[in-house]
Amino acid sequence: MSERNRPTVRLLAAAVVAGSVAVLATGCSFVQQQTGDAWSVTYEVRVDQPSGAALTDVRVEGAERRGEAPEVHRLDAQETGSSDGEGSRWEHDAIVLAEQRASVRATPGAGATATCRILLDGKREIASETSTRPGDAVRCSADTPAFD
C-alpha cells in the first residue's frame, strides 16, 4: 500500500468502527426497551381548586407504550378531573424502565398551588413535591428502582 493511501484507509476504518458501534448501541437500546424490566408509572398532579382546574406547561417523561423509546412528552394545557374534597387531580400513565428517570412538571392557574407525585404501579410513591407559591410550577423527578 502506498504512503499516499494510508490516511484514507485509516479514516475509512475509523468510520466503519464508529458506525458499527452506533448500530450496536442503538440495537441494544431497542432490545432493552422491548425486554428490560419496566415500571408502570402514574404521574399525579393535585390542585387546591375544584374539578376542571387548568394546568399549563404539562410535561411527563417516559414511553407511552412498552417498547417505545422514552422521551419528554409536552402535553401543554390539561384540566383536572376527579375531585376528592381536597381539590382535584390530573393523572397520566407511562412506562419507565427500571433505574431510569421518571419526571412530571405542571403549572397550576394563578392563585392555585399544586402537588405532584410519581407512583409505581399506581401505589408506591417515589417522589412528591408541592409548589411553594400559588401559580408556581411543580416538578417531581426520581430514578425508578431496580426490580427485586
Side-chain angles (χ1 to χ4, degrees), residues 1-133:
M1 181 183 313
S2 74
E3 288 293 319
R4 203 175 190 184
N5 291 336
R6 281 191 181 165
T8 303
V9 170
R10 285 185 183 156
L11 183 60
L12 182 60
V16 167
V17 168
S20 298
V21 168
V23 167
L24 287 174
T26 302
C28 291
S29 176
F30 177 76
V31 170
Q32 177 69 9
Q33 292 163 13
Q34 296 291 325
T35 63
D37 291 336
W39 292 100
S40 172
V41 172
T42 299
Y43 296 113
E44 177 186 276
V45 178
R46 291 180 175 267
V47 178
D48 62 355
Q49 292 184 337
S51 183
L55 294 170
T56 58
D57 193 25
V58 179
R59 302 174 195 184
V60 297
E61 189 169 359
E64 294 298 310
R65 287 185 268 320
R66 178 80 171 165
E68 291 182 353
E71 62 183 90
V72 175
H73 299 273
R74 294 174 184 262
L75 305 177
D76 297 319
Q78 300 289 310
E79 283 188 1
T80 60
S82 60
S83 182
D84 58 8
E86 295 181 22
S88 57
R89 79 171 174 244
W90 169 86
E91 291 183 348
H92 183 84
D93 293 322
I95 302 296
V96 178
L97 292 175
E99 301 182 84
Q100 296 294 312
R101 184 177 128 141
S103 68
V104 61
R105 169 199 169 108
T107 303
T113 57
T115 299
C116 61
R117 296 189 329 149
I118 300 175
L119 306 167
L120 299 179
D121 295 334
K123 298 175 186 156
R124 180 177 163 193
E125 182 180 292
I126 61 169
S128 177
E129 195 68 43
T130 300
S131 56
T132 54
R133 294 186 315 228

